[in-house]
Amino acid sequence: MTTRVITLKELAASLDLSITTVSRALAGHEQIALKTRERVAQAARQAGYVPNTAARTLVSGRSGFVGLVLPIRGPNLVDSFLGEFVTGLGEGLVSHGADLILATAALGHSELSVLRHVVESGRADGVVVTRIAETDERLAYLRERGFPFVAHGRLLDSDFDYNWLDTDGAHAFGEAFDMLYELGHRHFGLVTISEAMTFRHLRQDGLAAAIARRGDPSVRLDVVTAPRFDQQARIEAVNRMLRGPDRPTAIVALFDELALTVMEEAARAGFSMPRELSVIGFDNIAASAYAPPGLTTFDASIRQCAREIADMLLTVIAEKPGKPLTRLIRPTLVARASHGPAPQTRS
Amino acid sequence: MTTRVITLKELAASLDLSITTVSRALAGHEQIALKTRERVAQAARQAGYVPNTAARTLVSGRSGFVGLVLPIRGPNLVDSFLGEFVTGLGEGLVSHGADLILATAALGHSELSVLRHVVESGRADGVVVTRIAETDERLAYLRERGFPFVAHGRLLDSDFDYNWLDTDGAHAFGEAFDMLYELGHRHFGLVTISEAMTFRHLRQDGLAAAIARRGDPSVRLDVVTAPRFDQQARIEAVNRMLRGPDRPTAIVALFDELALTVMEEAARAGFSMPRELSVIGFDNIAASAYAPPGLTTFDASIRQCAREIADMLLTVIAEKPGKPLTRLIRPTLVARASHGPAPQTRS
DNA sequence: TGCAAAAATGCAAACGTTTTAAACTTCGGT
DNA sequence: ACCGAAGTTTAAAACGTTTGCATTTTTGCA
């Protein structure tokens, strides 16, 4: 056992050529005779030669890796986001011969320190940054370093340019409002979170903008806020909205997990959906299709987005474009059975 | 912008020491004077020195990475398996200072060829192999190479030794049978897949063994088989079992996705669960909690398993133990509302 | 056949570390 | 003041590539 790995020197010796020539031949340089190139390629294939990554990286300065620092997560991760995201990244990268490095933040260490380590150890040629917070120190660091990156999500104040791809939550929430308004709804509820994430503002602002655009003074919007990871507090917040004296006829949740809580609590309170209450979410997680009566939501096609992020990042790495690359992806409505016409009888 | 990354040579120059001394000081060698060690550590911290991974890997032969070849997957991945798995691996690795490399198989390439590339390019010190098939060429390759690995799952014929961690599906399916038998069920159904994966046999055999152990000749087991990724064929297979003249009172599905299909089709056929039909799954995916009436299933705690796999692999890499490391994890029953006593009236 | 130009190949340095073996310092004991 | 030993530090090689530049070989033409 323990077969040795063949090296360029050995391959060269077996061909009676210099290391230089073999290296160039494998790289397909024109200056090497075609005949030689073929001979080398043949021998390399047969010997199962694979160039050593470390050596190549050391001399070329390119590792062929893209880094992703895993967002620190609570004990329960129910959705498929991360799986879809890394799958999409992988698919996008592999077509260019790149691979993915996943770095995890240890308990004591901040996400930023892990990012620094990834960048400065030369492990990666670029990084992907997810879950952008309102003031994100990671982006500030990467900009200062001049290190290639693409953000999945945006900052609010774009006074500094960077590459990003984001789902157009503002548009989706506007679309949700318009659809519900056409269905006769006038009293709306928004269930949101208190975390300092930009997507929260973008979606809420999109909803508010759509309301303003409609210009109907009879439209009302109630907002409740819950902490991100406290399920008990979420339930209480939802019930504050549901059990009040004058509850909305349509509730929009910042994301599906919240919407599912709304549906559970609404069912517990005996409201029939969508007859008495419409609910709309965002993300289209798997459970949304199964939770009765089937949650109407928006699909952001994470996997496809991740693939595009990979493409963008590889472009940034290879070409260092002057203008930043940006993409705004419009999510698609997944109409299920949790929304419908506003109830006729209004007290 | 574009701050340069500091190198060992520069750090040594700034301290007026040789590269050797600084390297050793940072590594904490006793032979370097304590005073010097502290001085170096201080300067390194202040300068933000991070050793270059490629250089270190090249000379030491250790990359500090563990590889995972992403299983090729269809367009729709609904579960959170991959996300939990990489999160768990990351958590397990980071405590030992290691990180994860995710390699994706490009469209034309086999998973094996990607694995070969990861191994022979020296990118990783060890690999994790998931989704073990009946005759798995990856395991054969890794054994031949003598390369450190841990398999998530087992081969059927253990005539060759290797390191693995697996969930005890056989035990779970036996437990499911016993529970259902005690509830009065005698006519069982098993919905399985036609793919050549070992977990399929292990679970089915566990069920069969429990039946045999009980020794009750009145127990009956019907089995239907569907291809893994064809939802339409799945539905047909499930209906073959459900709509037959004499359907089982309890159906066990190989995994939750199949169980959810059973529940959907049963609901469509008008059967009430668990009154007329009991259903049990395996995996405890998120949707199982939401699909009415709530699927009873087994939780394999993927994240925790992945963390242990990481630990095992790092042990294998560091210590090359003579005996293979193996762990069999017993899944825990998650009792929801899809199982209950057998219906009284039997035609 | 000779010679320049073109084509093909090779030498050697470089990338940033770790490590072996050697050299230099310091110091107590005589 | 000298010696050896212990305590420190360093020079240089090595890891496996890529690449600028030099060298060798081939080719075409006189």
Side-chain angles (χ1 to χ4, degrees):
Chain A
M1 68 177 215
T2 315
T3 325
R4 277 268 325 300
V5 170
I6 194 173
T7 153
L8 198 54
K9 179 154 46 170
E10 291 160 353
L11 185 60
S14 81
L15 283 161
D16 206 24
L17 285 170
S18 74
I19 296 178
T20 310
T21 304
V22 176
S23 174
R24 289 213 168 97
L26 289 173
H29 284 212
E30 293 286 337
Q31 70 188 126
I32 303 296
L34 183 60
K35 193 169 48 185
T36 311
R37 292 212 295 271
E38 283 166 349
R39 195 163 64 96
V40 171
Q42 153 78 22
R45 206 174 320 112
Q46 193 216 308
Y49 171 74
V50 178
N52 179 290
T53 302
R56 171 175 283 185
T57 301
L58 187 57
V59 62
S60 72
R62 284 279 170 83
S63 69
F65 283 112
V66 158
L68 173 69
V69 177
L70 280 190
I72 298 166
R73 312 200 75 187
N76 50 338
L77 42 161
V78 295
D79 61 54
S80 59
F81 172 84
L82 184 56
E84 289 188 61
F85 197 73
V86 297
T87 301
L89 283 182
E91 288 169 345
L93 293 174
V94 76
S95 56
H96 300 257
D99 271 321
L100 188 62
I101 284 183
L102 246 53
T104 305
L107 227 58
H109 299 255
S110 73
E111 217 175 301
L112 176 64
S113 74
V114 178
L115 182 64
R116 278 190 41 134
H117 197 263
V118 169
V119 167
E120 294 172 27
S121 67
R123 299 156 123 77
D125 304 331
V127 291
V128 176
V129 183
T130 59
R131 290 177 44 79
I132 305 300
E134 286 172 12
T135 59
D136 206 298
E137 51 182 3
R138 296 170 301 170
L139 264 47
Y141 163 72
L142 289 166
R143 171 183 52 174
E144 185 202 313
R145 261 255 115 81
F147 195 78
F149 73 97
V150 174
H152 180 225
R154 277 170 289 171
L155 291 174
L156 288 181
D157 53 338
S158 277
D159 66 337
F160 100 78
D161 278 348
Y162 59 98
N163 313 290
W164 55 260
L165 179 148
D166 202 4
T167 34
D168 195 348
H171 184 273
F173 274 51
E175 189 179 336
F177 168 78
D178 286 339
M179 183 176 72
L180 292 166
Y181 184 91
E182 304 285 350
L183 286 167
H185 294 272
R186 292 299 178 269
H187 187 181
F188 294 82
L190 172 67
V191 181
T192 183
I193 52 165
S194 52
E195 212 182 3
M197 304 295 289
T198 53
F199 73 85
R200 173 190 110 151
H201 298 284
L202 292 166
R203 293 178 197 176
Q204 182 162 355
D205 292 353
L207 182 60
I211 293 173
R213 211 159 39 233
R214 185 67 62 165
D216 180 343
S218 73
V219 168
R220 236 179 90 195
L221 175 66
D222 301 343
V223 178
V224 295
T225 302
R228 176 92 190 231
F229 294 113
D230 182 344
Q231 179 60 13
Q232 194 49 45
R234 273 190 196 180
I235 290 174
E236 281 164 21
V238 165
N239 277 306
R240 244 181 352 261
M241 176 168 278
L242 283 176
R243 313 252 181 179
D246 183 22
R247 65 182 165 80
T249 63
I251 296 180
V252 183
L254 199 64
F255 45 79
D256 280 5
E257 270 181 79
L258 287 175
L260 293 178
T261 303
V262 171
M263 294 211 295
E264 280 182 299
E265 294 307 307
R268 184 163 303 154
F271 303 139
S272 138
M273 287 165 284
R275 198 165 52 76
E276 294 172 278
L277 178 72
S278 287
V279 181
I280 293 189
F282 190 100
D283 277 347
N284 193 25
I285 65 177
S288 301
Y290 291 96
L295 176 64
T296 293
T297 185
F298 290 88
D299 191 306
S301 55
I302 298 299
R303 186 164 167 183
Q304 179 59 35
C305 285
R307 201 165 353 190
E308 289 202 31
I309 287 174
D311 282 335
M312 289 167 69
L313 184 50
L314 291 171
T315 303
V316 171
I317 292 169
E319 300 170 19
K320 305 240 174 224
K323 290 256 168 266
L325 272 43
T326 61
R327 293 272 283 123
L328 195 55
I329 307 294
R330 187 158 292 181
T332 59
L333 179 73
V334 179
R336 296 205 185 92
S338 68
H339 76 289
Q344 300 292 352
T345 55
R346 296 281 291 142
S347 61
Chain B
M1 69 178 214
T2 316
T3 326
R4 277 269 325 299
V5 170
I6 195 172
T7 153
L8 199 54
K9 178 152 51 168
E10 291 160 353
L11 186 61
S14 82
L15 283 161
D16 207 24
L17 285 170
S18 73
I19 296 177
T20 310
T21 305
V22 176
S23 173
R24 288 222 167 89
L26 290 173
H29 284 213
E30 293 286 336
Q31 70 187 129
I32 303 295
L34 183 60
K35 194 169 48 184
T36 311
R37 291 212 297 271
E38 283 167 351
R39 195 162 65 97
V40 171
Q42 154 79 21
R45 207 174 319 113
Q46 194 214 308
Y49 170 73
V50 178
N52 179 290
T53 302
R56 170 176 284 184
T57 301
L58 186 56
V59 62
S60 73
R62 283 279 169 85
S63 69
F65 282 113
V66 158
L68 173 69
V69 178
L70 280 190
I72 297 167
R73 311 200 74 187
N76 50 338
L77 44 160
V78 296
D79 60 55
S80 60
F81 172 82
L82 184 56
E84 290 187 62
F85 197 73
V86 297
T87 301
L89 282 182
E91 289 170 346
L93 293 174
V94 75
S95 55
H96 300 257
D99 271 320
L100 189 62
I101 284 183
L102 246 53
T104 304
L107 226 59
H109 300 255
S110 73
E111 217 174 303
L112 177 64
S113 74
V114 178
L115 182 63
R116 278 191 41 135
H117 198 263
V118 169
V119 168
E120 294 173 27
S121 66
R123 299 154 121 78
D125 304 331
V127 291
V128 175
V129 182
T130 59
R131 290 177 44 78
I132 304 301
E134 287 173 10
T135 59
D136 206 299
E137 51 182 2
R138 297 170 301 171
L139 264 46
Y141 164 73
L142 289 166
R143 171 183 52 174
E144 183 202 314
R145 261 255 114 81
F147 195 78
F149 73 96
V150 174
H152 180 224
R154 276 169 288 171
L155 290 174
L156 288 181
D157 53 337
S158 278
D159 66 337
F160 100 78
D161 277 346
Y162 59 98
N163 313 290
W164 55 260
L165 178 148
D166 201 4
T167 35
D168 196 348
H171 185 272
F173 273 52
E175 189 178 336
F177 168 78
D178 286 339
M179 182 174 72
L180 292 166
Y181 184 92
E182 304 286 350
L183 285 165
H185 293 272
R186 293 299 178 268
H187 187 180
F188 293 81
L190 172 67
V191 182
T192 184
I193 51 165
S194 52
E195 213 182 4
M197 304 296 289
T198 52
F199 73 85
R200 173 189 111 150
H201 298 284
L202 292 166
R203 292 178 198 176
Q204 183 163 354
D205 292 354
L207 182 59
I211 292 173
R213 211 158 40 232
R214 185 69 60 167
D216 179 344
S218 72
V219 168
R220 235 179 90 195
L221 174 66
D222 301 343
V223 179
V224 293
T225 303
R228 175 93 190 232
F229 293 113
D230 182 344
Q231 180 59 16
Q232 194 49 46
R234 272 190 197 179
I235 290 174
E236 281 163 21
V238 165
N239 276 306
R240 239 177 2 256
M241 176 168 279
L242 283 176
R243 313 253 182 180
D246 182 23
R247 65 181 164 80
T249 63
I251 296 181
V252 183
L254 198 66
F255 45 80
D256 280 5
E257 270 180 79
L258 287 175
L260 293 179
T261 302
V262 170
M263 293 211 296
E264 281 183 300
E265 294 308 308
R268 183 164 302 153
F271 304 139
S272 139
M273 288 165 285
R275 198 166 49 78
E276 294 171 280
L277 179 71
S278 287
V279 181
I280 293 189
F282 190 99
D283 276 348
N284 193 25
I285 67 176
S288 300
Y290 291 94
L295 176 64
T296 293
T297 185
F298 290 88
D299 192 303
S301 54
I302 298 300
R303 187 166 167 183
Q304 180 58 36
C305 286
R307 202 167 349 193
E308 289 202 32
I309 287 174
D311 282 335
M312 288 167 69
L313 183 51
L314 291 171
T315 303
V316 171
I317 291 169
E319 301 170 18
K320 304 239 174 225
K323 291 257 169 262
L325 272 44
T326 62
R327 292 273 283 124
L328 195 54
I329 307 293
R330 187 158 293 181
T332 59
L333 179 72
V334 180
R336 295 205 185 92
S338 67
H339 76 290
Q344 300 293 351
T345 55
R346 295 281 291 143
S347 62

